[in-house]
Amino acid sequence: MPVTSEYYRPDLAYVHDQSYTDLARSAALHLSDLLKDRNNSGDLIVDLGSGSGVLAKALGEQNFKVIGIDYSPDMVKLAEGNAPDAEFIVASFLDYALPRCAAVTAIGEVLNYRFDKKHNFETLVDLFRKVYEQLEHGGIFLFDLIEPGIEGIMTESNKIVEGDDWTMFLHLFEDWESATLTREITLFRKVGEFYRKSYEEHRVQLLHHHKVQSALEEIGFSVELINQYADLAFRDKHVGFVARKG
């Protein structure tokens, strides 16, 4: 189905590229270390939710081939500039037909995002099966997700984050009954002499790590839970997965 630009439109994509890329850089280091025993020349990595191409650029510099999949056309446009040697496709990760590859990544709680209306736990498990089928022997599925309780004891909070040429107001609401987190994002970005206002609402499905781990293991993965990428530690209720096809 056609993908719209409802999420991560130009201004939020810009802010993410400017200020929220440390996790992707650290994940690239972590993955390259996991794959260090392979002859990686030309190995293909598929990056689901590839954002502005930071992970693709880092892995490309280590001779990996990278295909990035992202729901946002504006993110893909940035990625094509940041990592011109990689290939980027605007698509839902639930629809994309995975090719044979050495690793699949989904960095920055990508699998939690409910941008695609088909997103639910069953469709995620279907994705896990597709990943397993298309990974080479010894291949790795590296991803992270956030769990219920990510906002602590507060069900609702407000935050202000600022950069040199932007200010972002966040209203966060965690619904414990449905295990969802809603992020209302009001952004003011300086364009020329004036500030431009934009608004996005992101819904995130919070997932228990043990449920995800069980689903992966039933498919055939061996699973290691991690709490950091390289030297970048996660916050509480943010969990990483190294799922291997043995």
Side-chain angles (χ1 to χ4, degrees), residues 81-227:
N82 288 336
D85 292 332
E87 177 184 356
F88 296 97
I89 299 168
V90 179
S92 166
F93 61 74
L94 296 176
D95 294 331
Y96 177 66
L98 285 164
R100 195 74 170 167
C101 56
V104 176
T105 57
I107 308 304
E109 64 204 54
V110 165
L111 301 184
N112 292 100
Y113 277 97
R114 293 172 55 184
F115 291 166
D116 189 326
K117 292 180 180 179
K118 297 189 300 297
H119 182 287
N120 55 46
F121 190 73
E122 288 70 28
T123 55
L124 283 181
V125 173
D126 288 341
L127 172 66
F128 298 164
R129 291 192 186 97
K130 289 193 293 184
V131 171
Y132 187 84
E133 289 169 0
Q134 292 303 108
L135 280 175
E136 298 168 359
H137 181 76
I140 293 172
F141 183 20
L142 178 68
F143 66 95
D144 58 272
L145 53 80
I146 52 177
E147 299 187 289
I150 188 67
E151 293 302 312
I153 62 172
M154 300 294 292
T155 59
E156 197 165 3
S157 63
N158 294 290
K159 297 179 182 179
I160 300 174
V161 188
E162 294 182 287
D164 291 339
D165 56 356
W166 55 269
T167 300
M168 185 164 57
F169 297 85
L170 299 171
H171 177 241
L172 308 174
F173 175 72
E174 182 174 343
D175 185 329
W176 291 352
E177 184 175 349
S178 63
T180 58
L181 175 67
T182 300
R183 295 173 174 145
E184 297 177 354
I185 306 165
T186 303
L187 176 62
F188 294 87
R189 176 190 172 195
K190 190 173 185 180
V191 181
E193 298 181 10
F194 303 100
Y195 280 83
R196 181 168 65 201
K197 179 181 178 181
S198 61
Y199 173 84
E200 296 191 23
E201 182 176 308
H202 296 178
R203 287 187 173 272
V204 176
Q205 186 67 54
L206 304 171
L207 299 164
H208 289 282
H209 75 269
H210 58 80
K211 186 176 181 181
V212 173
Q213 181 176 359
S214 294
L216 290 165
E217 289 174 344
E218 286 181 12
I219 290 167
F221 285 105
S222 61
V223 180
E224 176 190 359
L225 300 180
I226 58 175
N227 58 12

Side-chain angles (χ1 to χ4, degrees), residues 44 50 56 65-69 76 80 83-89 96:
L44 176 62
S50 50
K65 294 181 180 179
V66 184
I67 298 176
I69 312 302
V76 165
E80 289 172 338
D85 292 332
E87 177 184 356
F88 296 97
I89 299 168
Y96 177 66

Side-chain angles (χ1 to χ4, degrees), residues 14-32:
Y14 167 83
V15 167
H16 190 279
D17 182 52
Q18 292 291 307
S19 302
Y20 292 91
T21 55
D22 288 347
L23 197 69
R25 288 190 180 89
S26 296
L29 289 172
H30 200 104
L31 181 62
S32 62

